[in-house]
């Protein structure tokens, strides 16, 4: 009886090994094709970036499920440009000095958020003509993200 059990175990191991191999090959093919698509999409974004910002320096790329982002220096400014997978720009932003915010916004921030300190301020331009400023402010252990319109209207974007 023991030889039969050993024979069955060996057959099961061979069958199991083949299944593991098939799964491993399939996973490798899927991962490779996904990576190749990501590289192709990134190449389109790189081409678009070179056309728009040919003197960009220190470019860092990030590929996500929804977009491709390039972070770089251009004309002494820190920019981030977002592309879709066809290489079309969908938005761009740049880090700015809080003193570049609209004056009405600066007045609102000084009154309503007295005691807060600026952490980061960004100007954002979207493909649909969206134009906003975002600033994060910190006070003790509290950090808030504010959205500011070009007219100077301030609202809480995220607490």
């Amino acid at each position: 009886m023991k030889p039969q059990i050993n024979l069955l175990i060996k057959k099961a191991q061979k069958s199991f090994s083949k299944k593991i191999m098939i799964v491993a090959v399939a996973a490798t093919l899927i991962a490779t094709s996904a990576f190749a698509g990501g590289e192709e999409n990134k190449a389109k974004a790189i081409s678009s970036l070179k056309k728009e910002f040919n003197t960009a320096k220190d470019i860092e790329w990030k590929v996500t499920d929804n977009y491709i982002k390039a972070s770089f220096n251009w004309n002494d400014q820190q920019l981030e440009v977002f592309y879709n997978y066809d290489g079309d720009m969908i938005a761009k932003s740049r880090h700015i000095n809080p003193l570049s915010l609209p004056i009405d916004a600066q007045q609102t921030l000084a009154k309503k958020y007295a005691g807060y300190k600026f952490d980061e301020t960004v100007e954002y331009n979207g493909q649909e003509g969206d134009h906003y400023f975002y600033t994060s402010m910190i006070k003790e252990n509290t950090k808030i993200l504010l959205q500011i319109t070009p007219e100077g209207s301030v609202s809480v974007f995220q607490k």
Side-chain angles (χ1 to χ4, degrees), residues 21-121:
M21 181 62 81
I22 290 170
V23 169
V25 169
T28 302
L29 289 174
I30 290 169
T32 303
S33 66
F35 180 73
E39 287 302 310
E40 181 181 318
N41 294 333
K42 185 176 167 185
K44 292 176 185 177
I46 290 170
S47 176
S48 294
L49 181 75
K50 285 181 181 178
K51 288 177 190 172
E52 294 282 327
F53 301 96
N54 63 350
T55 59
K57 296 177 183 164
D58 304 322
I59 304 168
E60 293 181 16
W61 292 94
K62 180 178 181 183
V63 179
T64 72
D65 291 339
N66 300 314
Y67 58 84
I68 301 168
K69 178 177 84 170
S71 301
F72 57 95
N73 289 310
W74 180 76
N75 288 350
D76 295 324
Q77 300 176 85
Q78 181 62 37
L79 275 67
E80 292 179 337
V81 179
F82 301 84
Y83 295 95
N84 63 21
Y85 290 125
D86 292 327
D88 301 321
M89 185 185 307
I90 53 176
K92 56 188 167 189
S93 67
R94 67 180 174 151
H95 294 259
I96 62 169
N97 185 313
L99 296 175
S100 297
L101 291 170
I103 293 171
D104 289 345
Q106 290 181 47
Q107 291 174 318
T108 299
L109 295 173
K111 291 176 191 170
K112 194 170 179 179
Y113 298 98
Y116 280 80
K117 295 190 185 282
F118 287 99
D119 183 40
E120 184 177 28
T121 304

